[in-house]
Amino acid sequence: MQLDNLQTQHQFHVRQRIRMMVNQYEVRAVAPDGTEGELLAFAQQKRLAFKEQVTIYTDDSKQQPLLGFKARQRLDLGATYDVTDAAGTPIGQFRKDFAQSLLRSTWHVEQAGLPQITGQERSMPVALLRRFVDSLSWLPYHFDFVAEGQPVFSVIKKWGLRDKYVVEVQNPQVDRRLVIAMAIGLDALQSR
């Protein structure tokens, strides 16, 4: 997918593939009927890595990188993740706000030219139930990302055996590659 075409996407699906040794994710456009459309990106993350790094490719052949994100530090609860394009040029960054996330997961996303974007779990009751009632940790969570009080994008987890999300972009200026990285990061990093 060409970057210009990717930037026109206002909604896409992220779905985790079930694999033994790696986390894999498909990012798909939304077809006119609302179902999953063409493959926009494919991501792979090694499990149990000391320094998180995820490469996102143009497809599941993994021949052409599209972007990636990598933790600046090892095993840091509030690590910053740098998001870069295939050539290593910075796109932006995101980080988990550890203190605020004790009760309600909160992430901060930065992209040059835009004010800081803050994403937080939509529902405080669901956030609390997920944390304090072990048998309910599977409850779906939804994140709303805003900047200066205006919606930028949202990530909505759907019910199912596999993790599946619908991502909706409200701000046309936000780089879709950064949104894809954050959406995948929510699944891959949320429980850490």
Side-chain angles (χ1 to χ4, degrees):
M1 160 134 320
Q2 297 296 327
L3 184 57
D4 291 342
N5 191 16
L6 181 62
Q7 196 62 24
T8 65
Q9 302 294 316
H10 296 289
Q11 188 179 58
F12 47 87
H13 296 275
V14 177
R15 181 169 37 104
Q16 183 180 26
R17 288 184 179 176
I18 305 296
R19 299 291 184 262
M20 291 296 293
M21 299 304 292
V22 296
N23 288 328
Q24 292 182 338
Y25 301 91
E26 293 178 359
V27 179
R28 293 190 171 272
V30 176
D33 65 357
T35 61
E36 293 181 6
E38 73 173 303
L39 185 67
L40 300 173
F42 176 81
Q44 184 166 301
Q45 172 206 28
K46 292 180 183 176
R47 291 186 184 151
L48 304 173
F50 285 110
K51 190 171 183 181
E52 292 297 338
Q53 180 171 352
V54 176
T55 302
I56 302 167
Y57 301 92
T58 56
D59 60 35
D60 57 2
S61 71
K62 299 185 285 185
Q63 298 299 310
Q64 184 177 353
L66 177 64
L67 68 132
F69 63 88
K70 183 176 182 179
R72 288 183 185 172
Q73 311 87 292
R74 292 178 184 222
L75 300 174
D76 184 356
L77 297 174
T80 296
Y81 297 86
D82 292 307
V83 181
T84 58
D85 67 13
T89 304
I91 296 170
Q93 62 187 26
F94 62 86
R95 68 179 170 80
K96 189 170 188 175
D97 187 321
F98 179 74
Q100 284 192 336
S101 294
L102 291 174
L103 294 178
R104 191 175 186 182
S105 294
T106 303
W107 292 81
H108 300 288
V109 180
E110 295 180 21
Q111 175 185 320
L114 292 180
Q116 180 173 290
I117 302 164
T118 300
Q120 197 169 52
E121 282 183 270
R122 184 178 293 167
S123 171
M124 178 63 91
V126 169
L128 293 173
L129 284 171
R130 286 182 52 250
R131 282 161 181 72
F132 299 115
V133 181
D134 284 339
S135 62
L136 297 177
S137 62
W138 53 267
L139 283 172
Y141 48 84
H142 311 310
F143 279 81
D144 294 311
F145 289 81
V146 299
E148 297 179 339
Q150 297 300 310
V152 178
F153 67 96
S154 59
V155 180
I156 301 163
K157 186 173 183 180
K158 297 297 187 179
W159 292 91
L161 295 175
R162 293 184 290 176
D163 292 342
K164 182 178 176 181
Y165 303 87
V166 174
V167 179
E168 296 178 0
V169 179
Q170 294 88 9
N171 183 324
Q173 295 176 322
V174 67
D175 193 313
R176 301 315 190 267
R177 297 169 299 175
L178 185 58
V179 173
I180 288 170
M182 184 72 253
I184 291 170
L186 283 175
D187 188 86
L189 308 169
Q190 181 61 22
S191 62
R192 293 175 187 209

